[in-house]
Every structure is written in structure tokens, then in C-alpha cells.
Amino acid sequence: MDAMGWGNYANDHEDANGQFEQNFQYADALTTSDRLIILRLMMHTLARRQGLYATFMPKPFADKTGNGLHMHLSLWSADGDEPLFETDHDARGLGLSELAYQFLGGVLDHAQALTAILCPTVNSYKRIWGGDEAPSYVTWGHNNRSALMRVPLYKPGKGQSARVEYRGVDSAANPYLAYSLLLAAGLKGIEEGYDLPREAEDDVWSLTERERTSLGIKPLPKNLNDAISVAEDSELLAETLGEQVFDFFLRNKRAEWDEYRGQVSAFERDRMLPVL
């Protein structure tokens, strides 16, 4: 990665055994997508040479933390010199421009529909609802890691670091589709001046269902079937992906769900076979 000029700056051990977080310098969406695909190929190849598996499966083990893909997003001027998310006059004190908040509002408004693309497998929802650090609700917060979208700590004088982080993508996602849709949703928020919902200041997971409902906090889809149902009604997805890709993706995911729900799992056999 260093030899290819990616600006690799961190490789940290994560929560689960043998789990690592890889970070490299930001770039445009297409370049970053290319790097993610190459990264997966490199990890798989290096592991196989050692007789091991490197997996990006969202939830490979029920009792271990799942694999996410946190995407940091910002907009810049056409010449790439001016960060458009940064300001010294943010009333909230987070260092974000009004344009950034409209972008944030756009992504949150479409988050439920985006989930089928950003979390595209039946296994993805075992990560979202598996009790780990994966966000399960449509919220945003300042450095709040339980929120779906996080605003990292503001660093005065470092406008290039002004950004928002979407924590709801998992590592099974197609990055080209994921970035296309996240950017489209954010730009829609700017175009139409979407309002930003109330900031989640508490640990969203610790709230009761009644408390979340009273605060207007919506859940992400519970499974791939629910996600497909929401995605099917999204004009944003159809316009951004194009009708051919949109229809093919949903048909493919519907077939995956139908095949999955017909399987008899070890859980069912262990629970029911001896007693029924």
C-alpha cells in the first residue's frame, strides 16, 4: 500500500480475535473504491499463502464483533483545493458548514432505503442487530460511536479534516455502489435543503424502545427482506443506479433471501430436534 502511494497510516487490532482495522489516506470516491477492491484481493492472497483465511464477512462468528466498513465523506471545490464542509462559524461548535449539515440530513433521510446496498447480504443484518458496535438506528452525533453517522472531533485550522463518517456500511458492500448512493443522498439533501434531525447525545443502544420512539429515532431494516422492501420504493436508488442495475440488484437479493429462508439451520435442529 505504501509503495502504491495510498498513505497507509494505521493498522489497529480491533475487538475480535484476529480482527484488524485498516486505514489509508482519503481520495476521491472512485480511487478509494479501487483501493478497497485491491485491499481485499491483497488480504485474501497473503492469507492463502500462509494457509489461512482473511474474511470480510460481516458477521462470521455469532459471539465475535462483526466486520464493518466505515466511510468518511466530505465535499471539495472542483479544483480540489477548498474543503466545503469546514467553517469557523458553526453555531453547534462542530466546525461544519451549513452545506455539510444539509449533506448529513440527506444521507440520514435516505438511510433506510440505502441499507439494502450498503449491507447487501443475509449475514449483514446479524452484524447490525448482533449487539456489537454496529449502528442499528438512524441517528447522528458528535463523536458518538453508537450513532449511524458520526461527526469526528473538530480540529481548528485543519479544514481538510472536516468530514462526516457513515458507520452503517459493512465490508460485503460494493464500494462503487455504496459511494455513489451516499454521495447522491447527501447531494439531494443539499439540493432540497433537508432539515437535520435532533442530535443523539446518549448511547442509542442503552435507550429503551419507548425512549427511541419518543425521540423519533427510526430503526434500520431488521433483515435483508425488509431492506429490499424499503429499497424498492426509493426513487433515489433507481435514479442513481439506473433502472437496469437497480432491478438486477433487487432481483438478485430477493433470490438470495428466498434461498436463505428455505434453509434449516443448526439452531433449529439443536433447539427442536430433541424435543419435537
Side-chain angles (χ1 to χ4, degrees), residues 72-86:
H72 292 250
L73 306 165
S74 62
L75 297 182
W76 293 65
S77 59
D79 58 13
D81 291 335
E82 181 185 358
L84 303 180
F85 275 14
E86 186 264 346

Side-chain angles (χ1 to χ4, degrees), residues 119-238:
C119 301
T121 72
V122 291
N123 182 255
S124 297
Y125 299 84
K126 296 180 180 181
R127 170 182 169 267
I128 293 176
W129 296 102
D132 299 326
E133 291 188 3
S136 309
Y137 297 89
V138 182
T139 56
W140 75 278
H142 173 225
N143 215 34
N144 183 344
R145 296 182 183 275
S146 71
L148 180 64
M149 296 196 72
R150 181 177 74 96
V151 178
L153 289 171
Y154 174 51
K155 299 177 181 178
K158 293 187 176 182
Q160 72 275 12
S161 67
R163 64 195 189 279
V164 295
E165 177 192 23
Y166 194 93
R167 300 170 59 81
V169 190
D170 71 39
S171 50
N174 179 323
Y176 302 98
L177 301 185
Y179 275 121
S180 296
L181 288 167
L182 287 169
L183 289 171
L187 291 173
K188 180 68 74 172
I190 294 172
E191 178 185 338
E192 301 189 2
Y194 283 9
D195 292 329
L196 191 63
R198 176 180 174 180
E199 178 182 358
E201 299 177 351
D202 301 316
D203 181 346
V204 180
W205 298 305
S206 68
L207 300 175
T208 66
E209 197 61 42
R210 177 172 293 184
E211 288 172 331
R212 284 190 286 263
T213 300
S214 67
L215 292 171
I217 296 175
K218 298 178 181 178
L220 291 175
K222 298 285 187 180
N223 53 54
L224 183 60
N225 182 58
D226 291 348
I228 294 168
S229 297
V230 179
E232 285 174 332
D233 295 328
S234 172
E235 292 183 6
L236 179 80
L237 266 66

